[in-house]
């Protein structure tokens, strides 16, 4: 009964939109806001959600406005309305490899342009900084909807590339930093739930006799639909029953 009355908002990379699609397929009220994979960091998510909630321009929001102001305004206005009405939100964070400019380490966006700027260097954000950004994200969300339940997950979708030379190592370090940040916040009893979708896809699936990536549309970075549906079923059972 609680599930029938719920509206679940997903926010993050393509993984968030896949979860949204699975929820819709199951007849559950759901809306989504999708980031591209390579900008789905705690810095970028913090900036976009703060802009949506308080209307103050920041470096990330300005970059998106400059790229496509009409569509950005439309999607952020829709997200704010959806956030106000949602009973639950699933945040799928995915990237700790972030661009910073100059000696003051100013976060830079978007990475595709930053990679061509000689004043920009890419670093793995440390767990404490990720934790601080997540706290800012939670505070912004609850400034709009104080009763919403927040579920945080880590997207299992791997990095597309790394300017530091080894995408496999940087992907591992990138995801690990976010996971350690979540442990920091859990130890401090912050009010959110962790959904271990990352662990299920990346660790449990290693013991299966078939691949959990690449079967749909030939994209080897995307999680297979049957695994998305499995994760969504387990999430619903845990969160609502």
């Amino acid at each position: 009964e609680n599930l029938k009355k719920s509206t679940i908002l997903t926010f993050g990379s393509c993984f968030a939109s896949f979860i949204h699609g699975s929820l819709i397929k199951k007849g559950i009220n759901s809306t989504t806001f999708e980031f591209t994979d390579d900008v789905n960091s705690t810095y970028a998510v913090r900036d976009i959600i703060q802009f949506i909630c308080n209307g103050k321009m920041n470096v990330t929001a300005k970059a998106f406005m400059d790229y496509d102001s009409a569509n950005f305004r439309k999607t952020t206005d829709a997200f704010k309305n959806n956030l106000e009405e949602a009973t639950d939100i699933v945040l799928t964070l995915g990237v700790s490899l972030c661009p910073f400019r100059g000696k003051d380490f100013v976060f830079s966006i978007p990475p595709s342009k930053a990679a061509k700027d000689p004043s920009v260097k890419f670093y793995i954000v440390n767990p404490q900084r990720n934790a601080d950004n997540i706290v800012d994200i939670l505070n912004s969300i609850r400034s709009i909807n104080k009763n919403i339940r927040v579920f945080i997950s880590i997207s299992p979708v791997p990095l597309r590339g790394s300017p530091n030379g080894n995408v496999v190592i940087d992907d591992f370090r990138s995801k690990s930093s976010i996971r350690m940040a979540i442990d920091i916040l859990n130890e401090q009893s912050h009010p959110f739930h962790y959904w271990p979708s990352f662990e299920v896809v990346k660790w449990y699936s290693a013991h299966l006799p078939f691949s959990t990536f690449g079967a749909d549309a030939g994209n080897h970075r995307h999680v297979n639909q049957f695994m998305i549906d499995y994760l969504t079923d387990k999430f619903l059972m845990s969160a609502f029953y």
Side-chain angles (χ1 to χ4, degrees):
E1 186 65 30
N2 288 338
L3 183 54
K4 292 180 180 178
K5 296 179 180 179
S6 299
T7 300
I8 302 173
L9 172 59
T10 69
F11 184 105
S13 63
C14 58
F15 184 68
S17 68
F18 294 155
I19 296 297
H20 162 69
S22 186
L23 291 168
I24 291 295
K25 187 168 60 176
K26 297 175 189 299
I28 297 164
N29 293 325
S30 177
T31 56
T32 192
F33 184 101
E34 183 180 350
F35 259 179
T36 56
D37 298 340
D38 54 353
V39 300
N40 189 29
S41 68
T42 62
Y43 274 96
V45 172
R46 179 202 64 185
D47 285 358
I48 292 299
I49 289 184
Q50 284 182 342
F51 170 75
I52 290 169
C53 293
N54 63 28
K56 295 180 181 178
M57 190 61 66
N58 54 54
V59 62
T60 307
K62 185 178 185 304
F64 278 91
M65 285 285 284
D66 291 345
Y67 179 73
D68 188 352
S69 61
N71 185 58
F72 182 67
R73 280 290 187 185
K74 181 180 178 180
T75 54
T76 52
D77 287 347
F79 175 81
K80 186 174 184 179
N81 291 333
N82 293 335
L83 179 59
E84 291 171 346
E85 298 174 0
T87 56
D88 306 88
I89 183 171
V90 177
L91 295 170
T92 65
L93 303 170
V95 180
S96 293
L97 180 62
C98 295
F100 295 88
R101 177 177 284 107
K103 296 181 180 179
D104 295 328
F105 295 97
V106 177
F107 177 62
S108 178
I109 195 77
S112 58
K113 293 181 180 178
K116 301 174 183 178
D117 187 337
S119 70
V120 171
K121 303 294 182 184
F122 282 74
Y123 299 95
I124 299 290
V125 178
N126 68 53
Q128 185 59 60
R129 176 53 63 187
N130 274 325
D132 293 342
N133 289 343
I134 292 171
V135 170
D136 289 340
I137 292 167
L138 295 173
N139 289 338
S140 293
I141 288 172
R142 292 203 168 94
S143 73
I144 296 297
N145 186 335
K146 64 180 182 180
N147 295 318
I148 196 169
R149 286 196 304 172
V150 179
F151 297 86
I152 298 178
S153 69
I154 300 173
S155 170
V157 176
L159 286 173
R160 192 186 309 271
S162 170
N164 296 337
N166 195 316
V167 67
V168 175
I169 292 175
D170 278 350
D171 184 57
F172 175 80
R173 295 172 64 212
S174 179
K175 307 290 187 185
S176 297
S177 180
I178 299 174
R179 187 63 185 86
M180 292 172 68
I182 289 167
D183 276 351
I184 290 171
L185 298 179
N186 279 332
E187 291 173 0
Q188 298 170 356
S189 300
H190 283 272
F192 69 91
H193 306 275
Y194 178 63
W195 176 24
S197 58
F198 172 78
E199 288 86 341
V200 172
V201 174
K202 297 291 279 191
W203 299 107
Y204 175 70
S205 65
H207 303 281
L208 297 175
F210 47 81
S211 175
T212 55
F213 285 83
D216 306 317
N219 190 326
H220 296 287
R221 295 177 62 250
H222 286 173
V223 180
N224 294 344
Q225 187 61 51
F226 79 86
M227 180 59 77
I228 295 289
D229 291 339
Y230 172 81
L231 289 168
T232 304
D233 285 340
K234 294 299 182 182
F235 164 69
L236 295 174
M237 287 295 295
S238 175
F240 293 95
Y241 297 102

